[in-house]
Amino acid sequence: MHDLYDHGPQGDAFEPNNASGDSIDLDPAKLEADKPKPTGHDPFDPKYLGLGQDFAAFSPVKPKWDIIKVEKPSKARVFRVHPTFALKTFLLTLKDENETYMVLPELRAALANESLCGIHALFPCVTKAGTPFLWPIRTADPDGKWNVWHESAFQIAQSAKVRWARMQSNRDAGHYVAGFDVRPPDQQQPPTWPDLPFSEWLRLAFQGYTIDSLTHPVLRRLRLED
C-alpha cells in the first residue's frame, strides 16, 4: 500500500507545489510594499490616544439616565425645550434647599393655602451636551395675575422650543432675558433628546421627592412637628 504522503526522493527540503499552479512571487520590492505603512506618529502619544470631545457623537451606546434634575437653567447653560412634552401640575418648592416636590392630586386641596406650593408648568429641556433636566415655572395666579419673573421665563420657554437659548436675570429690568440662536432651525445643531417617554422623565425627576401623605417629613417640618 502506498503512503498517500510519499513524495519520493525529494528529500527533507521538499516544498509543496502551489496548488493553483502559479509560481510564488518572492520579489523583495513587492514584499516590501505589502508591509504596513508607518503612521507617522508615536502610537503611545497621549494626544493620539486621548478621546476628543466629539467622541460621544460616534459612540453607539446611548447614555442611561438614573436621575433627572428639576431646576431652572443656569445663566451659562445653553438649552432647548421639548416641542411637545409639558405638564401643568402642583409642586412644593424649597428654595433654600434647592428641592422641588411633586404633590399628589389627593393632597392638593389640603395644601392649597401653603405659600410654598403652587401650580407650575414643567418643561423637559436638554443642554447642548445632551443632559436632560426639568424646568419648573410657576404659572399665573387663579385671577390671571403673573409674577413678571415667571411670565418672562414662560415666554422664553416657548421660544426655546424651536431654537437654542441662554437665559439670564436682568435685575435692573426686573425680569429674565434670553439670547437665542438666530440661525434658521434647520441650520442649528439638533438637540439630542433621551429616548424616554415623558412618564419616565417624571419618575426619574421625582423619585424620592413626592409628597404622598400629610405626615410626609417635609410637611411635618413645615408644621414644626419634627
Side-chain angles (χ1 to χ4, degrees):
M1 181 176 179
H2 294 288
D3 183 351
L4 293 177
Y5 297 96
D6 181 11
H7 303 290
Q10 297 171 359
D12 294 337
F14 167 72
E15 294 182 1
N17 291 331
N18 189 328
S20 64
D22 298 332
S23 61
I24 300 175
D25 192 345
L26 299 179
D27 184 345
K30 291 184 178 180
L31 291 177
E32 185 69 24
D34 290 337
K35 288 184 178 179
K37 300 295 187 296
T39 59
H41 54 66
D42 180 357
F44 297 103
D45 184 344
K47 293 181 180 179
Y48 171 60
L49 295 176
L51 293 178
Q53 292 183 352
D54 58 348
F55 175 76
F58 300 97
S59 175
V61 180
K62 292 186 177 181
K64 182 179 183 299
W65 301 102
D66 298 316
I67 187 171
I68 290 178
K69 287 189 174 182
V70 182
E71 59 187 357
K72 176 183 69 178
S74 69
K75 61 184 179 182
R77 177 167 276 184
V78 178
F79 65 95
R80 283 282 294 269
V81 172
H82 199 282
T84 58
F85 291 169
L87 179 68
K88 190 175 182 180
T89 191
F90 199 73
L91 302 177
L92 185 152
T93 304
L94 302 177
K95 279 191 174 182
D96 291 343
E97 291 83 355
N98 195 27
E99 294 177 353
T100 302
Y101 292 82
M102 176 72 71
V103 179
L104 295 187
E106 56 267 28
L107 301 177
R108 292 171 184 169
L111 298 175
N113 295 323
E114 171 56 61
S115 62
L116 298 177
C117 294
I119 300 172
H120 290 69
L122 270 177
F123 293 108
C125 305
V126 71
T127 68
K128 267 204 168 179
T131 301
F133 65 99
L134 276 176
W135 182 13
I137 302 175
R138 190 151 181 166
T139 60
D141 295 336
D143 60 3
K145 185 178 180 180
W146 278 92
N147 172 297
V148 67
W149 289 96
H150 302 155
E151 183 177 19
S152 60
F154 190 89
Q155 292 172 350
I156 290 168
Q158 304 309 309
S159 298
K161 291 181 179 181
V162 294
R163 58 186 69 248
W164 292 101
R166 178 170 169 249
M167 184 180 78
Q168 301 182 69
S169 59
N170 187 324
R171 297 290 176 183
D172 186 53
H175 58 76
Y176 291 111
V177 295
F180 296 97
D181 190 331
V182 298
R183 294 173 295 177
D186 61 351
Q187 294 180 17
Q188 298 179 32
Q189 173 185 317
T192 304
W193 296 105
D195 187 17
L196 298 172
F198 192 26
S199 59
E200 189 67 6
W201 281 74
L202 297 172
R203 187 186 71 81
L204 294 176
F206 291 103
Q207 54 187 355
Y209 291 89
T210 301
I211 304 294
D212 54 3
S213 166
L214 291 177
T215 60
H216 189 282
V218 168
L219 298 182
R220 295 188 68 237
R221 174 153 50 91
L222 295 175
R223 294 194 299 261
L224 308 179
E225 295 175 356
D226 60 353

